[in-house]
Amino acid sequence: MADAGELKIVFTGPMGAGKTTAIAAISDIAPIRTDVANNDHVAFDKEATTVALDYGQLALDDGLVMRLYGTPGQERFAFMRKILCAGAIGVVLLIDGSRADALTSLDAYVDEIRAFDPMPAMVVGIGRCPSADAPALVQSSAHLERLGLTLPVFSVDVRRREDVMLLIETLVCVIEAGAHTEENA
Amino acid sequence: MSAPPRFAQRLVEVSAQQLAKFGSETPGIALAVLSSGDGFEIASHRADKAVSAKIAAMGSSLQALSEAITREAGLKDARRLIIESDNGCVLAMGIGGTNPSLSLVVVADKSASLGHLLWSAKICCTSISRAIAG
């Protein structure tokens, strides 16, 4: 098969949104992880948290290889997100839709991603939504529109490979549409 | 109601004492920070809060990356990471066998002797580990 190239994709979002799980769900290799015991059970009650990066790889049917990087979610690790997002062509933003601060997190991460130059293509996955018309999902789309952003927003269960693949395939479409637009500009 | 302290008072006190001893007995140390594995500062020496919080987070990332790359390379446990620059060096090392897991990050200027720094840092880590176990 001809070498179709590589894309750097970053999974980001707040602590507990499912970035590590999402990469594990689709990676062709055992992901490289840097998770350690979590001491901040007030922010999010889970056993382990990523402090540097996750890394996985995914080969698509056309030979395109995606290098998948996961970021830490806490504010104190913002420096890692800046490092990891350098050179990324696409970002999967994951938000926990069950949290009261879901829209605040969405705002903060969208602002962070928009600040990268050039701004990478982006899709948004809202996790832990009980239904397709769940408030977090509906409000997120509307909120992004108010910010002047038309982004694909999906309800996802990051444990399901098909859900994460939908995000990836959509992101590839957004990247290709962007490249096509630039070519014709 | 305030949240309970993240770390035991004894751990914080022992760590502060050992860092102060390490800093006073080792030439060239600009600052030292002891952090939890997930990047929270536990104690620091010669660093203001804004700096030590950043160093704590970065130190835990460096430690985790060191462990990840040694694991991927099929090597045994990572002992320490040394970053050398024109003006000094940064040392990051984990303290094994503690709960919570701990990392020490030291920034030293170019007056520091690397050998002395590594030796002193190792003693500091061992002292902290023994003190909180005892």
Side-chain angles (χ1 to χ4, degrees):
Chain A
M1 186 182 291
D3 183 3
E6 291 189 329
L7 296 180
K8 179 180 180 180
I9 304 296
V10 173
F11 285 69
T12 194
M15 184 183 185
K19 304 173 290 291
T20 300
T21 304
I23 288 176
I26 60 168
S27 177
D28 296 332
I29 63 169
I32 295 168
R33 292 178 172 177
T34 58
D35 47 349
V36 301
N38 170 38
N39 290 297
D40 191 5
H41 293 276
V42 174
F44 204 96
D45 193 16
K46 63 174 191 170
E47 289 302 311
T49 188
T50 300
V51 295
L53 56 80
D54 296 307
Y55 177 77
Q57 286 178 359
L58 172 68
L60 300 183
D61 291 341
D62 60 1
L64 189 67
V65 174
M66 309 200 111
R67 291 186 283 125
L68 312 169
Y69 292 81
T71 74
Q74 299 91 330
E75 177 54 33
R76 64 185 179 280
F77 293 116
F79 73 95
M80 277 306 308
R81 293 194 289 277
K82 198 170 176 183
I83 291 168
L84 292 171
C85 286
I89 195 163
V91 169
V92 176
L93 172 56
L94 295 175
I95 299 289
D96 180 349
S98 70
R99 289 183 66 100
D101 60 356
L103 286 185
T104 307
S105 294
L106 181 68
D107 258 348
Y109 276 85
V110 165
D111 279 351
E112 198 170 285
I113 295 162
R114 287 173 104 178
F116 293 120
D117 184 20
M119 181 186 158
M122 186 173 14
V123 296
V124 181
I126 310 288
R128 301 187 182 97
C129 286
S131 64
D133 59 351
L137 194 61
V138 175
Q139 288 170 6
S140 295
S141 296
H143 189 69
L144 289 168
E145 279 181 26
R146 281 196 295 275
L147 293 174
L149 291 168
T150 308
L151 298 176
V153 180
F154 296 97
S155 169
V156 291
D157 179 341
V158 291
R159 297 167 299 181
R160 290 164 50 96
R161 178 181 166 85
E162 53 268 42
D163 281 20
V164 184
M165 284 305 296
L166 176 63
L167 292 172
I168 290 292
E169 286 160 3
T170 306
L171 186 59
V172 170
C173 291
V174 173
I175 291 166
E176 287 176 347
H180 185 71
T181 305
E182 277 180 17
E183 279 171 15
N184 292 329
Chain B
M1 191 175 76
S2 62
R6 191 169 281 123
F7 303 110
Q9 187 62 28
R10 176 167 168 71
L11 169 61
V12 175
E13 288 172 1
V14 163
S15 302
Q17 287 165 8
Q18 292 300 328
L19 287 191
K21 185 169 186 287
F22 169 57
S24 65
E25 294 177 354
T26 314
I29 291 183
L31 64 92
V33 178
L34 187 81
S35 69
S36 62
D38 61 340
F40 287 107
E41 176 188 342
I42 293 168
S44 64
H45 177 69
R46 289 186 193 154
D48 67 38
K49 277 288 169 198
V51 172
S52 59
K54 279 188 205 168
I55 296 288
M58 290 180 171
S60 69
S61 297
L62 289 173
Q63 179 63 26
L65 281 171
S66 301
E67 289 172 6
I69 198 165
T70 49
R71 191 167 58 239
E72 290 300 315
L75 302 175
K76 280 199 164 185
D77 296 341
R79 284 188 191 156
R80 62 183 76 91
L81 174 69
I82 301 163
I83 302 169
E84 295 185 270
S85 85
D86 290 345
N87 294 326
C89 71
V90 178
L91 166 67
M93 56 194 294
I95 303 181
T98 57
N99 183 18
S101 61
L102 303 171
S103 297
L104 174 66
V105 179
V106 184
V107 178
D109 61 34
K110 57 185 175 185
S111 71
S113 154
L114 185 57
H116 189 179
L117 180 66
L118 298 179
W119 178 74
S120 297
K122 187 174 180 184
I123 289 175
C124 178
C125 290
T126 304
S127 300
I128 291 170
S129 178
R130 282 186 184 152
I132 60 175

